[in-house]
């Protein structure tokens, strides 16, 4: 039953991409780009009007932070590198997790940043 649902989901994703080929980068890239844009916007607003921008920007950073923590990566270093790449105008970056497991430790993963 679960295999059928997963296969159906995969086929629907393929159909959707063919019918409407617009994709959003994953791995926290979209959330970090929005966070950076809102932080920049907050710097242009004076007084308490900037607080909502900063609050939403901080909340959006929870998603990439959680991905980093779940992979066992260095949260501060990786999040800072992701933020720098988004601010630098490189088109953003994505957190990429690649399996590097072995028989003794099958759940070992490698966390890296890649330009999107």
């Amino acid at each position: 039953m679960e295999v059928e649902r997963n296969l159906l989901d995969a086929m629907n994703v393929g159909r959707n991409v063919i019918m409407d080929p617009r994709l959003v980068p994953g791995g926290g890239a979209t959330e970090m780009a929005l966070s950076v844009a809102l932080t920049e916007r907050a710097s242009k607003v004076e007084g308490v009007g900037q607080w909502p921008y900063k609050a939403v920007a901080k909340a959006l950073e929870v998603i990439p932070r959680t991905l980093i923590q779940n992979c066992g990566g260095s949260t501060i270093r990786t999040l800072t590198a992701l933020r720098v790449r988004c601010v630098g105008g490189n088109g953003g970056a994505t957190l990429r997790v690649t399996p590097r497991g072995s028989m003794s430790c099958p759940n070992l993963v490698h966390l890296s940043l890649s330009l999107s």
Side-chain angles (χ1 to χ4, degrees), residues 3-116:
V3 173
E4 291 176 13
R5 188 181 67 77
N6 288 338
L7 184 59
L8 184 62
D9 287 348
M11 289 174 24
N12 283 333
V13 167
R15 177 188 57 99
N16 291 342
V17 169
I18 289 171
M19 292 178 72
D20 189 8
R22 292 183 289 173
L23 297 175
V24 176
T30 304
E31 292 83 3
M32 185 55 75
L34 286 171
S35 175
V36 167
L38 287 171
T39 302
E40 288 174 0
R41 176 73 174 127
S43 68
K44 297 175 184 171
V45 176
E46 296 198 16
V48 296
Q50 64 182 265
W51 291 358
Y53 292 100
K54 289 183 178 182
V56 174
K58 186 175 179 179
L60 285 170
E61 286 187 7
V62 169
I63 296 168
R65 179 178 290 119
T66 302
L67 289 171
I68 296 165
Q69 289 172 345
N70 287 344
C71 294
S74 172
T75 306
I76 295 172
R77 287 182 185 160
T78 309
L79 200 59
T80 302
L82 184 61
R83 186 179 299 115
V84 165
R85 288 193 180 178
C86 286
V87 171
N90 293 327
T94 300
L95 295 172
R96 178 170 294 173
V97 180
T98 53
R100 286 188 2 187
S102 63
M103 294 299 280
S104 61
C105 189
N107 295 330
L108 184 66
V109 295
H110 174 69
L111 179 67
S112 64
L113 284 173
S114 63
L115 292 175
S116 40

